[in-house]
Amino acid sequence: MKDKPVNRFKAEFPAKSINEGYARLVVSAFASQLDPTMAELADIKTAVSEAVTNCIVHAYRGETGYCPVLLTGAYFPDGRVVITVRDRGCGIPDLGLALTPLYTSDPAGERSGMGFTIMQSFCDKVTVNSRPGKGTTVRLTKLLART
């Protein structure tokens, strides 16, 4: 039987760079309910920042109109925080390649290719699902220390 979350949230916002800070703030306020350490909170915020930035930079290339980023979160009795960042953009054609450290799809080479690696470094588990033409979902799991 699956654990039921103690609390959860859902937010949606346009894929604009100004909203990366909004996403960090929402997740920070939500996770703070569990009294995390400053380091744990910084880890969560950094991972979410990377996931949301990927949506903003890569998901909706050249699209006009409303391009949504869907941010959801839940926490569980065991102290597990699960944040999901989803877009409905172009998707990732080769997920294995995209998960390779230092790989970037940026033809100008202005991106470091470390986004997924950073997410994996700051979370206990990172799951990425993507379908070309349908979008990408990144699920970030962090288990907070219980005192």
Side-chain angles (χ1 to χ4, degrees):
M1 183 170 143
K2 279 188 151 182
D3 287 335
K4 290 190 178 184
V6 174
N7 198 7
R8 65 176 99 199
F9 78 90
K10 182 189 292 188
E12 180 177 319
F13 49 88
K16 295 183 178 185
S17 60
I18 195 168
N19 288 330
E20 180 268 334
Y22 169 75
R24 288 172 59 96
L25 182 64
V26 167
V27 168
S28 177
F30 181 75
S32 291
Q33 298 172 46
L34 292 173
D35 196 26
T37 65
M38 293 300 289
E40 289 170 331
L41 194 55
D43 289 353
I44 293 168
K45 288 167 51 177
T46 300
V48 166
S49 180
E50 290 295 330
V52 169
T53 297
N54 276 355
C55 293
I56 293 167
V57 172
H58 300 292
Y60 297 107
R61 293 184 187 157
E63 288 190 37
T64 57
Y66 184 69
C67 300
V69 175
L70 303 132
L71 179 67
T72 61
Y75 65 78
F76 297 84
D78 63 358
R80 191 170 20 110
V81 177
V82 179
I83 306 294
T84 303
V85 180
R86 182 167 53 107
D87 65 66
R88 296 182 185 128
C90 63
I92 301 170
D94 186 339
L95 191 53
L97 184 59
L99 292 170
T100 303
L102 300 176
Y103 171 78
T104 179
S105 61
D106 179 18
E110 295 176 10
R111 310 303 300 182
S112 70
M114 293 298 293
F116 287 124
T117 302
I118 291 169
M119 289 178 234
Q120 291 165 338
S121 295
F122 289 105
C123 292
D124 294 299
K125 184 176 181 183
V126 176
T127 305
V128 183
N129 293 304
S130 189
R131 292 180 50 207
K134 299 290 183 184
T136 301
T137 300
V138 175
R139 182 180 170 110
L140 308 166
T141 302
K142 179 79 172 176
L143 184 58
L144 303 181
R146 305 303 286 185
T147 55

